[in-house]
Amino acid sequence: MSADRSAERSEARSEDRNAERSEARLEPRRVQHALVCMLFDPAYAAMVRGSAKLPELSVRERALLREVDPRALRSDPHRLARAVHALIDEYPVSAAVLGVAKVETFFASEAFRAGIRERKAMALTFGQWLGDRARGVGCLEHAMALLRRPLPAPKGELDCPPRFRGLLVPAGTLAFTSSVRARLGHDPVELLAQRREPWGERAPRKGTEPLLVERREDGSIDLGTASEPLVRLMRFAEGGRRRAEVEAEAIRRGAEPAEAGELIDELIADGLLCAPPTGSS
Amino acid sequence: MPTFLERSAALPHLGLGISTEYGARRSPGALDPRALRREHPGLGGFLEVGVEIERGLDADARAWVADGGPTTYHFLDVNLDEPEDLDPGWLAAVRGTVDELRPAWLCGDAGLWHFGTRDRGQMLLLPPVLVPESVAPMAAGLVALRQATGHEVLPENPPGAFFVGPMHVLELFAAVAEAADTGLLLDCAHLAMFQRSRGLAFDAGFDALPWERVIELHVAGGSERAIEGLPVVDDDHGIEVLPDTWAIFEGALARAGNLRAVVVECERNPLPDVLPLFRRVASAWGVDAR
């Protein structure tokens, strides 16, 4: 037997052992997470009971879940409605644009399941799932949802202040959002739940509207337009940058090289950029 | 450190009490805990306050404390087996609430109270997965919460329309109690749900439980219904207590020699309606039902 073949066999045996170990693992949290997905999504429950591969579950974990009577998963007929309600509370105009029937498909998405596995806030996972589905309206309401929650500490030499989110959305998004929100009235959930279908008007799709979303000291959210170069610069700084990088970006966005440093200082003084304490990373 | 059984000597005898949670008295005709205590001191010995930190304490809970009434703190928002869930912000708020309530101990269903982060629309309650692998993480959470609050933390067997895993729920909680060296809260109605779901006798698993660790019992009404032919019990805290819940309660009373408290969970019912239930519980336990 050649040394090469022996090494191949040894490697194959090792892989088999790893696979066996992997299939024998049992982490109660993973079982619970899958169970939550099964409660929200009958199709996923059927997948767990079926034979198609599910990488998120080992054989042992899946065997436990297969023993659950599918009827028991329907013991709470209002579970989905409560979760949809929570989403519409934060994304009323996105829900109007999509229609509640489409919103409900989020609960059957891999994004929803990943959000549970990764221990995320459902409203934020929904905002990510929206992507371009509700056009700029989804981006706007996602930014608002982010700002309602605990803010991250600023990083780097310069950062966009965490209480701000700069957005570039299709032109007319802010006016469309405000108009639809006003027409949804005081109880968007009830209105949209009855309607279920998408709103009659389509969300803007063309052009660019630079927006700044701000969480005020009292926790309220302020929406407004801003200059495009400013929004682009704030977005560039998001997550932390070196000052030299931000100055270079300001110059790319039209600042005079000799004045870029002064501009950055002014933005810091105005609270539109922040310089975290040294050592933040 | 003394063992739980040694520490338990310092736990007060609270007697018969009632549970509440934020806004419970807004339900039409709901029980006024202070009225119960005023009119029937033997039945309203203490208030078990269900606490979701995000909501805080309501006026009724605060008024009870202001009257000097004894309490226990029943958590409604922590997944004990997730270390991330005992985050510094939540723990600080728990300590603040403990300072306000001055509870005899903390307790609560040891299950999945929420998926993802603690956030809107993500609250639920699922029982733990009944496998040996669930024991260590849950015990670690209990110890961490006990150390963070300086109070005993009694895990409670949660309700469920179904239970995942081959262990008996009492077997799992026995193992958790031993691993965390803690006491137990046995919810008789929840146990009846488990026994029914498995087709077991009311006292199945009793031999597995270290009864000397059982400090508190819960009794509550439940209603039977069927989902496409599958019989289930809703843990509705009504006044109709199922016969198997009574049988479990009476069996538990006979075994739990270290018992300090019994809660009758009926917070959303009018006082005249719940008095017979309180009196039957008091009579079974042999306490003053006036």
Side-chain angles (χ1 to χ4, degrees), chain B residues 143-185:
Chain B
V143 171
L145 190 54
R146 181 171 71 219
Q147 288 173 344
T149 60
H151 283 66
E152 295 295 339
V153 183
L154 313 180
E156 171 184 356
N157 55 308
F162 58 90
F163 294 81
V164 175
M167 289 175 81
H168 192 288
V169 70
L170 295 184
E171 192 188 351
L172 181 91
F173 276 77
V176 168
E178 297 286 348
D181 189 25
T182 190
L184 287 165
L185 190 174

Side-chain angles (χ1 to χ4, degrees), chain A residues 10-28:
Chain A
S10 169
E11 196 173 313
R13 277 197 299 272
S14 171
E15 281 174 11
D16 286 348
R17 279 196 298 271
N18 286 341
E20 278 172 26
R21 269 198 296 270
S22 165
E23 290 304 340
R25 80 190 161 198
L26 203 171
E27 291 180 30

Side-chain angles (χ1 to χ4, degrees), chain A residues 187-227:
Chain A
D187 191 355
V189 174
E190 188 180 349
L191 191 151
L192 294 174
Q194 284 174 2
R195 180 187 175 91
R196 289 193 65 80
E197 294 299 315
W199 200 249
E201 303 155 55
R202 296 173 73 175
R205 310 160 66 95
K206 294 179 179 167
T208 302
E209 183 171 65
L211 298 178
L212 269 188
V213 188
E214 178 186 5
R215 184 167 96 182
R216 291 179 174 159
E217 287 295 322
D218 66 0
S220 63
I221 306 282
D222 190 34
L223 309 176
T225 54
S227 77

Side-chain angles (χ1 to χ4, degrees), chain A residues 57-243:
Chain A
L57 291 170
S58 71
V59 168
R60 277 183 76 198
E61 291 163 348
R62 198 167 176 180
L64 289 174
L65 292 166
R66 279 181 165 145
E67 289 179 14
V68 176
D69 189 319
R71 295 173 295 176
L73 297 172
R74 297 190 278 277
S75 60
D76 181 353
H78 307 298
R79 192 188 307 278
L80 180 62
R82 284 196 305 273
V84 169
H85 188 149
L87 292 180
I88 296 178
D89 276 347
E90 295 207 60
Y91 293 85
V93 184
S94 300
V97 167
L98 295 180
V100 167
K102 183 73 177 174
V103 171
E104 287 174 357
T105 65
F106 163 67
F107 295 93
S109 70
E110 175 52 27
F112 174 68
R113 294 193 286 273
I116 290 175
R117 291 196 296 270
E118 293 161 22
R119 212 174 176 279
K120 290 183 174 170
M122 179 176 70
L124 301 185
T125 308
F126 179 72
Q128 286 172 333
W129 174 81
L130 274 177
D132 200 35
R133 286 181 167 92
R135 307 290 172 190
V137 174
C139 300
L140 179 54
E141 291 185 325
H142 184 208
M144 294 166 73
L146 281 163
L147 292 179
R148 283 188 199 103
R149 288 172 171 76
L151 302 175
K155 293 177 185 167
E157 287 178 11
L158 280 181
D159 200 348
C160 173
R163 66 193 171 88
F164 280 109
R165 302 290 294 194
L167 299 176
L168 296 162
V169 292
T173 294
L174 183 56
F176 176 86
T177 304
S178 304
S179 162
V180 174
R181 180 65 194 85
R183 280 178 283 160
L184 287 172
H186 70 283
D187 191 355
V189 174
E190 188 180 349
L191 191 151
L192 294 174
Q194 284 174 2
R195 180 187 175 91
R196 289 193 65 80
E197 294 299 315
W199 200 249
E201 303 155 55
R202 296 173 73 175
R205 310 160 66 95
K206 294 179 179 167
T208 302
E209 183 171 65
L211 298 178
L212 269 188
V213 188
E214 178 186 5
R215 184 167 96 182
R216 291 179 174 159
E217 287 295 322
D218 66 0
S220 63
I221 306 282
D222 190 34
L223 309 176
T225 54
S227 77
E228 186 170 336
L230 173 64
V231 169
R232 287 194 184 277
L233 191 65
M234 292 174 77
R235 286 169 62 88
F236 178 80
E238 255 181 37
R241 295 274 188 177
R242 287 187 294 114
R243 181 176 173 115

Side-chain angles (χ1 to χ4, degrees), chain A residues 247-248 250-252 254-264:
Chain A
E247 285 186 9
I251 293 165
R252 273 196 294 278
E256 290 295 329
E259 295 170 358
E262 193 179 334
L263 172 68
I264 299 300

Side-chain angles (χ1 to χ4, degrees), chain B residues 217-282:
Chain B
L217 296 176
H218 282 186
V219 179
S223 51
E224 298 167 286
R225 66 182 170 103
I227 309 165
E228 298 159 43
L230 178 73
V232 293
V233 173
D234 280 334
D235 185 38
D236 61 9
H237 293 191
I239 55 171
E240 299 299 330
V241 175
L242 297 172
D244 26 352
T245 300
W246 282 122
I248 290 168
F249 176 58
E250 285 157 8
L253 285 178
R255 291 168 174 80
N258 223 357
L259 191 62
R260 298 290 201 280
V262 175
V263 171
V264 180
E265 297 184 298
C266 57
E267 60 276 5
R268 288 185 165 81
N269 302 277
L271 180 53
D273 293 359
V274 301
L275 282 177
L277 172 55
F278 271 98
R279 290 197 171 114
R280 180 166 172 186
V281 169

